[in-house]
Every structure is written in C-alpha cells, then in structure tokens.
Amino acid sequence: MDKMKSDSSFSRRDILQVGTGTAAIVSAAGVLGASTAVLAQNAPRPAAPAGRIRTGEQNPFYDYSPMPKRPKLTWPNGARVAVHIVPNIEHWDVHDDKGHMDVRNNPRNDYGLRVAVWRLFDAFSERKIQTTIALNATVCKFYPDVIAAAKARGDEFMGHGMTNSEHLDLVPRENAAQIVRQAVTTIRTATGQRVRGWLGPGLGEADGTLDALKAAGVEYVCDWGSADDQPFPLKNGMYAVPYTVDINDLGLIDRQGTPASQFSQYIVDAFDTLYREGAEQARVLPIALHPFLTGAPHRVPHLIKALDYIKGHDKVWFARGGDILDAYKAATARTRPT
C-alpha cells in the first residue's frame, strides 16, 4: 500500500474535493490519470496470515461509558444543549508534495478566506455567537486579518495542524509530534491565547499524537469527539469534546452533494432530538463548517435559518470548546463520589 501511495499522481485533495460521490471520483481518475489511491477504495483487503484470527482490540485511549449509567449532567443556567460551532479555517498549499497544482479547488478554498468567512463572522456577531475555530497555524502567517477579526469576536482558537495539506496519519510519528508542537506555538504566539483544544487535519492522528498534544499543553481533542454527545475523559488525562462528521458541511455538501436547505434541516432535526433528550442528560450539538462551503451566498441563508430556530429556544447555550470542557469538569466534580 505504501508503494501504491507513492506511485499515485493524486494529491489527497483530489480524493476529498474533486467531486461528490464515488462516480465523480472515478470520473476524476479518468481525467487526471489512474490513481491507485482511488482504485484501492474498492480493492479487496489483503487476507490475514493463516492461523491468525482477530479477537478484537479494546480502545486504548478511553473507556466505554453507556449513557444510561452516567450521573446526570447539567449545563450552566439549566441549558439542555450546548451548541458547539466549529468553523474550520484552513490553508491549502498551491502545490502538493509532488509539485502538482490544484487550480480547481485552491481558489475555492481561498474564497472562504477572502469573502465567505466575513459573511459567517457577520452572521455570528449579529446573533452574539462565539465559536471554536479549528485553525491551521499557517493562517496566522498568511491571513492575519482573519485572526484579528476572530480575536475581536472572542472566538477560541483550536489547533488544526500547520496546513491542511499534511495530515498527521500520513507522516511518521516524530513528524506528527513536531507538527503539533509547531502549530501550538505558532497559534499561541500569533493570538496570545493558550491553545486548549485540537482537531487534526482530516481528523488524523499518528501513534503518540495524544501524548504529544498533552505535552504541548492541549487539554482536549475533537478527533475522538464524534464518539459521544457529551465530553468524556481520555486515559492520558486529556478530554474529548464532541465534534461531528455528520452535521459537517464538508461531508454532506461537498462529498455527498446534500443541498444547503437539507443541511439546515439536519441541524434542526439533530437539535430537536438533543433538546428533548437534554431534559434528562445535557448534550452537545457540534456543527462543523467550512467557510468556502456554508459561507457561500446561496448557502448561508439556510445556516442562518437553523441558527435562528435554535436561538428561539430558551434552554440553549452557544459555547466554545474550552467553555464546554470547563462546565463538564465542574459538573462531574460535583457528581463524583467522595
């Protein structure tokens, strides 16, 4: 498989954003040249060695915790749902690691940084909503106006690698740890904020990444956050804060071709479910956004409709990742046996 990756003429962006669905990816392969990365999607997995039967691997990073057996969790002011909005503000290099340019997609992402992010900032500011920005650290260097505006709004900056052109699960362990250290230092220096949270580019981690994050002073990760509707502790002393690959415009809109109106309805439907359940157990509704997608002029009105619907409910808390973690730790400290 390593040889297949090295022989591929595709960048990772070609796989992720060239179109929506398998048919578009296969079509792209025909245009751009055969890609073993694409072909491998449908290739049979290699057989395990004879005599070896997998009996399962317990997750080494956190314990299983069934929701019905947990102590009641409450949010500040009796909120049933904490709404955790995570704009992914990213930088993609013009050239990939083989020197190829992605002219189709790169300007599209730049639209998010030049135009769409400002549209989202206006929508959030009008509704007094602060967010947790998953930030490629290189944004601090190339787009300082975005950083200044987010700081003025009171947004939290969560580490999101150096660029989105390099994912931690595709580099050696030592490189991944170096990316963590450099990204955290860059963001802290540029923003003056402590970097409390982390979301890996592409939700990727290498072996040892969680320990590297802890050593860098990071308190929570969102990579594992899709496992739950509440924060939960990790075995190395960190925490996971809910994130989503479902209520996520990249997966739904860009890869599946979901209309923005339907994406908005998904947000509303998820909120209704969590708001009902939150009467007994407080929940988190994560909403993952990418400015170039949801900040587009034909999509942002649908996001606004969903936000206004949520704000029409009393027991709702729009919160940043660090705020959610602090409230969770305070609440669980009260319910922990002495």
Side-chain angles (χ1 to χ4, degrees):
M1 190 65 187
D2 290 339
K3 184 179 187 301
M4 293 170 67
K5 288 180 181 177
S6 65
D7 290 345
S8 170
S9 61
F10 268 64
S11 71
R12 190 171 178 84
R13 288 180 51 76
D14 295 322
I15 306 300
L16 294 181
Q17 292 190 18
V18 74
T20 56
T22 304
I25 293 176
V26 173
S27 174
V31 173
L32 298 175
S35 168
T36 50
V38 172
L39 298 177
Q41 287 189 343
N42 297 318
R45 293 175 180 266
R52 181 187 171 200
I53 299 174
R54 298 198 66 149
T55 58
E57 177 189 14
Q58 186 175 22
N59 191 304
F61 305 120
Y62 54 86
D63 293 323
Y64 173 66
S65 173
M67 182 70 76
K69 292 187 175 181
R70 299 179 196 174
K72 181 179 176 64
L73 177 66
T74 57
W75 292 137
N77 300 317
R80 297 183 183 185
V81 179
V83 181
H84 186 210
I85 298 178
V86 184
N88 287 241
I89 299 184
E90 300 167 338
H91 169 81
W92 291 87
D93 289 337
V94 173
H95 296 88
D96 66 15
D97 57 1
K98 301 177 185 64
H100 302 151
M101 291 195 302
D102 185 359
V103 181
R104 172 173 178 170
N105 286 300
N106 196 272
R108 188 169 174 236
N109 282 290
D110 280 344
Y111 180 85
L113 294 157
R114 297 162 67 93
V115 181
V117 70
W118 307 104
R119 192 174 287 134
L120 290 180
F121 282 169
D122 286 345
F124 297 144
S125 295
E126 287 169 9
R127 289 156 182 81
K128 296 181 172 58
I129 295 172
Q130 293 177 321
T131 71
T132 306
I133 294 174
L135 185 71
N136 286 162
T138 305
V139 171
C140 300
K141 176 181 179 181
F142 295 125
Y143 319 98
D145 291 338
V146 175
I147 302 300
K151 281 183 64 177
R153 282 183 21 81
D155 291 322
E156 178 181 344
F157 296 100
M158 173 169 60
H160 191 41
M162 288 300 297
T163 76
N164 241 54
S165 299
E166 192 168 42
H167 292 192
L168 303 192
D169 56 331
L170 300 178
V171 300
R173 171 178 180 154
E174 296 76 14
N175 292 38
Q178 182 179 357
I179 289 170
V180 165
R181 292 190 295 270
Q182 187 171 349
V184 168
T185 299
T186 300
I187 295 171
R188 184 175 61 240
T189 301
T191 66
Q193 285 189 15
R194 184 160 53 103
V195 180
R196 302 185 64 188
W198 180 270
L199 177 74
L203 278 71
E205 291 185 9
D207 287 337
T209 295
L210 287 176
D211 291 335
L213 287 165
K214 183 179 180 181
V218 175
E219 299 174 63
Y220 73 87
V221 296
C222 286
D223 298 338
W224 298 94
S226 57
D228 214 296
D229 290 336
Q230 297 177 342
F232 58 91
L234 301 176
K235 290 183 177 180
N236 75 339
M238 297 175 66
Y239 291 82
V241 167
Y243 185 73
T244 178
V245 294
D246 292 315
I247 308 300
N248 186 318
D249 58 3
L250 189 64
L252 287 173
I253 293 174
D254 207 40
R255 297 178 192 166
Q256 298 182 30
T258 302
S261 57
Q262 185 63 56
F263 179 62
S264 174
Q265 188 60 50
Y266 284 161
I267 294 174
V268 168
D269 290 344
F271 171 78
D272 284 343
T273 299
L274 297 174
Y275 193 78
R276 183 181 66 253
E277 296 174 343
E280 299 298 327
Q281 271 281 16
R283 310 282 173 142
V284 178
L285 171 62
I287 303 172
L289 305 174
H290 295 73
F292 76 94
L293 286 170
T294 302
H298 61 293
R299 296 191 182 106
V300 76
H302 298 286
L303 173 66
I304 288 172
K305 288 177 185 177
L307 296 178
D308 287 345
Y309 175 81
I310 293 172
K311 286 189 71 70
H313 293 71
D314 291 333
K315 299 182 182 300
V316 175
W317 179 36
F318 284 86
R320 301 167 298 185
D323 302 326
I324 293 171
L325 176 61
D326 289 342
Y328 173 79
K329 290 168 72 174
T332 52
R334 291 194 298 269
T335 59
R336 190 177 302 125
T338 56

